Amino acid sequence: MTDLSGSHAVTDRPGGGTTVETTVNGASAASAAESERIRGFLDEACPTTPCLAVDLAVVRNRFARLSAELPGARICYAVKANPDPRVVAELVGLGASFDVASPGEIELCLRQGAPARSISYGNTIKKPTDIALAYQRGVRLFATDSTPDLENIAASAPGAGVFCRIAVDNTGSRTPFGRKFGCSPATAVRLLRRARELGLVPYGVSFHIGSQQLSSEAWEHGIAAAAEVLHDPEMPADAVRMVNLGGGLPATYTQPTPELSEYTAVIEDALRRHFGTGRPEVLLEPGRHLVGDAGVLRSEVVLVSEDSAGQGRWVYLDAGRYNGLAETEGEAITYRLRTSRDGDPLGPVVLAGPTCDGDDVLYQHTRYELPSTLRGGDTVDLLSAGAYTASYSSVCFNGFEPLTTWCFDSAETIERA
Ligand SMILES: Cc1ncc(COP(=O)(O)O)c(C=O)c1O
């Protein structure tokens, strides 16, 4: 259980014992400074709540760090994490590539100036018309994990490159994929052979070890499975050797995560051990890691009430499950919080959203403590909320508007909302 109390995240360690992290609100000092700059923007701009403020300087910083840690790897931003056009345009300017899930994301990237050849269609579930549209717009790289999808690609995107997604263990991920995607290494070899027969270019293999992956070792298992495919003697001789390491790198929530350098050390080591000098082309599809820490979701307290049924104090925010905080489902993602009354004495709370829906409760099993002075009109900031918030917001559930995004650049102190 994680207890977010005031300026310290208190975390129960596996095997017992409670550690008080020597960090600010569960984050590194650098990440705390980033969220302070976003607070400065929000305090000054005073936008209507709920809203998401994104600092493009943080996106640039994450992209630069990741590029430096994994030199030579092609970074394809997973657009679904935050499809705000200003975020995509910033990444186009940095020379990023893009992982997209639909024609809508392809059009978005093209509108922001992304070259069609920088786009990889990473969704294994697509209609023939979607494939045809992608091909017509110049996309030439597609993920697959099944024969029907492969045959659709061959029919609608002749001569395109295909990589095969294999299923890997998602243990350690806060939001695992279950069994929806991926095939066995043996099936991947068969599909890539079939791709060649169908006139496609067998390009390589991909995996995703689950989003917000807290165990760096997960990549070792994924890379080992990918090597099994690429080294298979049945692989087409002229196949391009590419391994796509997917997403999964973390943002900063309440659970401590390893440093980025720990993840990249495991990745580099696994690539060295499994491929030696014949290292394949390496792709990455980070979403959450590039934009998560760049955003703060500001909400207003609608109501604080004492629960007569004895469940304690309920704090209702104007942001909930349906207008930005979808990833609180199952309490998978536990955001760090900051309130306008920080410093006052704390007490336990249940946190809930504003709609007339019984599932619109954010945290009732994860222990959160907030100032006992908190009342309607105060603000609660959800930190590191730049990923999978605005893009998950419903259009109008209960008449609440979708979450609005404000982008600014703390390096330039220019607002670009
Ligand atoms: C195919 C694919 N690649 C990359 C990502 C991004 O993952 P993350 O945000 O964990 O980096 C996702 C997320 O769902 C995905 O489905």
Side-chain angles (χ1 to χ4, degrees), residues 56 83-91 112 404-407 416-417:
L56 298 172
D84 190 283
R86 294 155 294 187
V87 170
V88 172
E90 192 68 32
L91 287 160
Q112 301 317 308
T404 45
T405 301
W406 291 70
C407 286
R416 294 202 238 148

Side-chain angles (χ1 to χ4, degrees), residues 78 80 99 122 165 177 208 211-212 246-249 285-288 388:
K80 59 182 78 72
D99 160 60
R165 179 164 171 175
F177 286 103
H208 196 309
S211 201
Q212 189 66 12
L249 292 171
E285 296 172 347
R288 192 184 297 281
Y388 304 111

